Amino acid sequence: MNLTKNIQNIKAQGKLALIPYLPYGYPDRDTFWKLIIELDKNGVNVIEIGVPFSNPIADGEVVENAILQSLSQGLIFKDLIDDLSIYRDKINCEIVFMGYFNSFYKYGLNKITDDAKRLKISGFIVADSTIDETEKWAPYLVESGINLVPLIGLNTSVDRMKIYAKAQHYKSFVYFVTVLGVTGIQEGFSSRIDEKLREVKEVFDIPVVLGFGISSISQLNTIKSNFDGVVFGSSLIQSIDRNESIENFMNNFRN
């Protein structure tokens, strides 16, 4: 699998890549996998599986509560790996892990990379890591062909972006954070997004997807700059809490 080419091919068809986020084990272990399979059947292109962590500093109230519910079941990262050994062949779209550096480091950077390759995981999003920290991981990632996804925000300097762009283990796509803050549904977006997106596109030669605060495609009509996909998490979790079907929820993202 090549995550970069996948997203580029979707954009070439005039569509946006659709990337749902759901914490592993939410709302419970069995239901989680049923939801993942339903998402796969309903037009998503990449699934972002959240690795539950006790201090999710980048996440707002909705996602944080979902993560805490997952943790309350006693689930650990190895459970996710074990489950994927069963379910991966039933899921057609690509999968990335989203989590915090300590979870991956504690499991073992070499071991998690080997497991990710075996389970056809396309990449990792690490919400709290620095490039210096991930240098320890770089040799394993480069050898395996699996990449980290750079998180770029409104306050990320061009010089900092260039450092990410040059790093061999930060590829796949850019995750552009649309707000200065934590995850959660937003009513509107900063007028600075268009300007910053132009900077991002000048620095990186990989796709750019938008995340944080997105609940529908129509919400993005005010953003005029070019981008390649969207990540949605809080709105999905709230829909699940309302017992809505995945099919009905995904109607908000038909494009």
Side-chain angles (χ1 to χ4, degrees), residues 24-28 52 63-75 241:
Y24 167 61
Y26 183 80
D28 59 69
V63 174
E64 182 177 7
N65 287 340
I67 290 172
L68 293 176
Q69 184 169 327
S70 296
L71 289 171
S72 71
Q73 301 171 62
L75 297 175
D241 290 343

Side-chain angles (χ1 to χ4, degrees), residues 47-51 77 80-81 84 95-99 104 112 116 119 121 123-126:
I47 293 176
E48 186 182 324
I49 295 179
V51 178
F77 188 48
L80 170 56
I81 298 299
L84 270 170
I95 295 174
V96 298
F97 286 156
M98 188 278 181
F104 303 126
I112 182 55
L119 296 168
I121 303 303
F124 294 87
I125 302 169
V126 189

Side-chain angles (χ1 to χ4, degrees), residues 173-192:
F173 64 88
V174 174
Y175 190 130
F176 182 86
V177 179
T178 59
V179 298
L180 289 172
V182 296
T183 58
I185 297 173
Q186 302 292 315
E187 293 184 3
F189 293 108
S190 169
S191 58
R192 295 174 53 203

Side-chain angles (χ1 to χ4, degrees), residues 43-104:
V44 305
N45 307 110
V46 182
I47 293 176
E48 186 182 324
I49 295 179
V51 178
F53 183 61
S54 58
N55 186 27
I57 57 174
D59 294 302
E61 183 177 3
V62 172
V63 174
E64 182 177 7
N65 287 340
I67 290 172
L68 293 176
Q69 184 169 327
S70 296
L71 289 171
S72 71
Q73 301 171 62
L75 297 175
I76 60 175
F77 188 48
K78 188 178 184 303
D79 294 324
L80 170 56
I81 298 299
D82 290 344
D83 283 357
L84 270 170
S85 298
I86 299 169
Y87 287 101
R88 186 64 184 98
D89 288 343
K90 301 176 183 179
I91 302 165
N92 293 314
C93 67
E94 301 201 48
I95 295 174
V96 298
F97 286 156
M98 188 278 181
Y100 294 83
F101 187 72
N102 188 59
S103 299
F104 303 126

Side-chain angles (χ1 to χ4, degrees), residues 4 8 165 171 200-207:
T4 303
Q8 288 172 336
K171 299 294 181 183
V200 172
K201 283 289 188 177
E202 287 177 2
V203 173
F204 291 93
D205 59 359
I206 53 178

